[in-house]
Amino acid sequence: MSDQIVETKMNAASVRVHYGAKEALKGIDLDIPANRVTALIGPSGCGKSTFLRCLNRMNDTIVGAKVSGTITLDDEPLYGDGAIDPVLLRMRVGMVFQKPNPFPKTIYDNVAFGPRIHGLVPDKDSLDAMVADALTKAGLWVEVKDRLGDMATGLSGGQQQRLCIARAIAVRPEVILMDEPCSALDPIATAKVEELIDELAESYTIVIVTHSMQQAARVSHLTAFFHLGSLIEVGPTERIFTAPEQQLTQGYITGRFG
Amino acid sequence: MPTVGEHHIVKSYDEQLKRLHDAISRMGGLAERQLELSMKAVETRDDTLAGEVVASDAAIDADEHFVNEQTVRLLALRAPVADDLRTVIASLKIAADLERIADHAANNAKRTLVLNQTAPLAPVRTLLRMGRLVQELLAQVLAAYLQHDAAQALAVRARDQEVDALYSSLFREILTYMMEDPRTITACSHLMFMAKNIERIGDHATNIAEMSYFLITGQSLADQRPKGDRSNTEGLAP
C-alpha cells in the first residue's frame, strides 16, 4: 500500500493510564490511519495491550484503572463529556483476543449473537445473510457452510479464531482491534489469519498487538514501538524494519536488548 | 530497566555477522593488494609478478562464495532487520564489487604479459596515474566501510569524476598514439582495455561507497551520481 497521506480514524492525545498507583501509559500521542493496519510492538509490560484496550474502553472493566487524555473515533471523544456510549463504541470498535473464545453455542449463533443483541436485523432471512457475509469475509464460509448448527467449540483453533473474527465483523464495526490473534495458532492457521487481515484492511481500520516482529513486518502498514509505557517511535513499517530512527527500536527489533 | 547493548541476546547471531564482516574485510585487503601488485607489474614490466596476480584470483572468489552462502543462511535462519538487514545486504553487494575489482586487476595482469613483449608505451604513465588514484579511492572506501564513516564514503563517491576525467583523457591519448604509429595498435588496444578495467574499478569503489552509506545511515543514494567519462562519445560527429 502506498505511503500517501490517509485520513485519521482514531486519534490518541496525551493518553495516560494508571492501574492504582502504577502508571502503565505515560502520555501517548498516536494517529491510527483509516483502512490501514497499525501494529503495536514492544516487550511485555510496555503498555501496548493497555493502549489497545483504551481504544474500545476495555479498561473500564479493570478495577482501579484510570484513563486520562483524549481518544477520538472520527473526532468523537471516547472518554469524558459527550463521550460515545460504550456499548455503541464496542460495536464500532470490535475486538479479537489472543485465545480464540467462541461462545459455547453453534457456529451460526456465535456470529448471529452481535447482530441479534444490537437489533441490527429485522428478520431471519437478513440475519442468515449477515451470518453468511461475515463468515465469507472471515474466510470460513466454505469450511462451515454445511454445519452451521454444529458447536463452535468443535472447530480447530485456527477456525475458531476466524470464527471470532467473523463474530467481530458481523456487527459491521469500523475498527477491529486484535490482541495477539495468532499466538495460539500454527503457521498455516496464522497465514490464513494474516491473509484475512490483508483483505479486511480494505474495509476496516485494524490495530494489532503482536509479539512476533515478523508478523508486524508482514501484515502492518504502520508500526508503533512501545517501551515502558511510552511510545518510542512510530512510522511506516518498512522504514521501522530497515532503518529505525531510535536506538531503542533498533535494539528491540534486532534482539540487542535486555 | 532493559538497555540497548552492543551484542545480540543470541550469541551465535553475533558470531555469524562477525564472520561475514571478517570475510568482507579480508576480501577488501585482497582486492587492494591485487590492484596494487597488478599496477606494480605494469610499472616494472614484471612477468613473474603479473603471473602471481593471475594465480591469486582464486582466493577472493572463494571468499565471495562464502559471503553468498553466509548471506542466504542469515536471511533464511535469522530474518535480520534494521541495521542487521542492512549489514547483510551491503555485505552481499560489496563482496560482488570486490570480486569484480580483483577480476579487473587480474585481467590487467594478463595484458601486462602482452605489453611486456613490445617497447614501453608513453601512455602507460597516464595509466599508472589512474591506477594510483583508484588505489587511493579503494583504500579510502574500505576505511569508510570498516570505520562506519558516512562522510568519507560520500567523499569517495564524489571523486569518481576524477577517474572518469583521467580515463577520457587517456582514451584520447591512446587514439593519438595509435594514429601516429599503427605498429602500436596491438599493444595500445590492450592498454585501452586496461584503462577501461581501472575505470571500472573506480565504479566499483563508488558502488561500495554507496552501499556503505546505506549501511551506515539507512538512506540510499538514489540520485544520479556525477559522471565525468566522455569517452563513450569520443569521435562522435557533432
Side-chain angles (χ1 to χ4, degrees):
Chain A
M1 209 161 278
S2 67
D3 295 337
Q4 65 197 350
I5 296 164
V6 292
E7 126 195 31
T8 296
K9 186 70 188 176
M10 297 188 83
N11 166 271
S14 309
V15 172
R16 290 172 190 277
V17 174
H18 286 84
Y19 292 130
K22 187 186 178 306
E23 190 174 34
L25 284 182
K26 300 172 180 172
I28 304 297
D29 298 294
L30 182 65
D31 278 345
I32 310 279
N35 295 99
R36 292 288 188 277
V37 180
T38 301
L40 312 181
I41 63 168
S44 296
C46 69
K48 57 190 188 300
S49 291
T50 297
F51 180 73
L52 189 78
R53 284 156 186 276
C54 288
L55 298 178
N56 71 344
R57 295 190 56 167
M58 289 291 287
N59 287 326
D60 288 9
T61 60
I62 297 169
V63 179
K66 185 174 151 287
V67 180
S68 67
T70 55
I71 301 178
T72 58
L73 171 65
D74 287 336
D75 298 325
E76 294 178 71
L78 267 59
Y79 296 88
D81 293 337
I84 305 170
D85 172 64
V87 175
L88 189 63
L89 172 70
R90 289 185 197 123
M91 191 172 87
R92 292 175 65 187
V93 182
M95 190 149 186
V96 176
F97 296 87
Q98 179 172 359
K99 281 175 81 177
N101 54 354
F103 303 134
K105 293 170 180 288
T106 64
I107 295 169
Y108 184 95
D109 284 343
N110 262 273
V111 183
F113 189 83
R116 273 184 187 137
I117 61 162
H118 286 292
L120 297 181
V121 281
D123 53 48
K124 177 83 169 76
D125 283 351
S126 36
L127 184 60
D128 286 353
M130 210 163 199
V131 168
D133 180 57
L135 285 168
T136 304
K137 281 189 182 131
L140 198 59
W141 178 246
V142 175
E143 290 161 64
V144 301
K145 65 177 164 46
D146 298 324
R147 48 180 176 131
L148 293 173
D150 289 6
M151 288 299 283
T153 42
L155 295 171
S156 73
Q159 288 172 328
Q160 286 186 17
Q161 193 63 311
R162 280 180 284 143
L163 179 67
C164 292
I165 294 173
R167 190 175 64 188
I169 58 185
V171 294
R172 311 247 160 99
E174 297 156 42
V175 180
I176 303 172
L177 309 177
M178 297 184 171
D179 193 355
E180 296 187 46
C182 300
S183 60
L185 305 185
D186 73 16
I188 301 299
T190 297
K192 286 182 182 167
V193 171
E194 288 181 359
E195 164 62 16
L196 181 56
I197 291 172
D198 262 359
E199 288 171 12
L200 293 176
E202 287 170 19
S203 329
Y204 306 93
T205 297
I206 296 174
V207 186
I208 177 171
V209 162
T210 175
H211 269 302
S212 161
M213 235 85 69
Q214 288 308 312
Q215 178 166 63
R218 285 192 299 263
V219 304
S220 72
H221 306 107
L222 203 72
T223 296
F225 171 58
F226 284 71
H227 183 236
L228 294 174
S230 299
L231 176 62
I232 303 299
E233 184 171 359
V234 58
T237 298
E238 191 185 321
R239 185 182 66 66
I240 296 286
F241 284 94
T242 54
E245 281 166 6
Q246 301 298 322
Q247 280 298 315
L248 269 175
T249 314
Q250 175 143 298
Y252 179 68
I253 64 176
T254 59
R256 274 175 265 161
F257 202 81
Chain B
M1 165 171 179
T3 48
V4 179
E6 283 279 296
H7 302 289
H8 290 89
I9 298 163
V10 181
K11 288 190 192 70
S12 58
Y13 189 5
D14 268 345
E15 285 156 18
Q16 285 177 343
L17 285 170
K18 183 174 186 309
R19 277 204 291 278
L20 197 57
H21 179 268
D22 290 349
I24 297 295
S25 135
R26 191 167 58 236
M27 284 183 82
L30 283 172
E32 256 188 305
R33 187 167 164 74
Q34 287 286 88
L35 175 61
E36 183 196 336
L37 294 181
S38 70
M39 293 314 297
K40 198 171 172 195
V42 176
E43 190 170 11
T44 59
R45 298 170 64 83
D46 186 338
D47 280 358
T48 315
L49 187 56
E52 282 171 18
V53 172
V54 174
S56 304
D57 195 40
I60 205 160
D61 289 350
D63 269 332
E64 195 209 3
H65 190 66
F66 171 80
V67 169
N68 289 350
E69 284 197 328
Q70 190 73 0
T71 302
V72 170
R73 188 178 307 145
L74 274 161
L75 288 172
L77 304 183
R78 304 286 184 192
V81 293
D83 60 339
D84 294 336
L85 176 65
R86 303 203 302 271
T87 298
V88 171
I89 296 299
S91 299
L92 181 68
K93 299 203 69 167
I94 290 174
D97 282 313
L98 290 171
E99 191 273 335
R100 292 305 297 152
I101 288 173
D103 272 356
H104 290 309
N107 187 263
N108 276 4
K110 273 185 204 159
R111 294 179 192 276
T112 301
L113 300 173
V114 183
L115 290 194
N116 288 352
Q117 290 175 350
T118 63
L121 297 165
V124 165
R125 278 195 303 275
T126 313
L127 186 82
L128 292 172
R129 255 177 73 203
M130 230 181 126
R132 279 191 294 275
L133 174 60
V134 169
Q135 271 176 263
E136 197 188 313
L137 294 184
L138 182 59
Q140 202 181 340
V141 79
L142 289 172
Y145 166 78
L146 291 172
Q147 293 154 15
H148 273 219
D149 185 340
Q152 184 151 247
L154 281 181
V156 172
R157 182 171 179 268
R159 290 190 66 191
D160 188 50
Q161 282 185 97
E162 291 177 39
V163 180
D164 289 347
L166 210 48
Y167 173 64
S168 302
S169 141
L170 180 57
F171 186 89
R172 286 192 300 275
E173 190 182 347
I174 295 171
L175 277 186
T176 317
Y177 210 77
M178 289 193 286
M179 283 187 264
E180 274 173 8
D181 185 355
R183 285 172 304 174
T184 65
I185 285 178
T186 304
C188 276
S189 298
H190 283 287
L191 203 55
M192 198 87 94
F193 280 115
M194 292 168 79
K196 184 68 191 169
N197 281 336
I198 295 174
E199 189 269 335
R200 290 299 298 147
I201 292 175
D203 288 345
H204 288 298
T206 308
N207 288 347
I208 296 173
E210 290 174 353
M211 279 324 291
S212 300
Y213 187 84
F214 168 70
L215 164 64
I216 300 159
T217 66
Q219 311 291 319
S220 70
L221 294 163
D223 59 318
Q224 194 68 36
R225 77 171 70 137
K227 273 279 169 204
D229 173 15
R230 274 178 284 279
S231 69
N232 292 321
T233 50
E234 190 67 51
L236 181 71

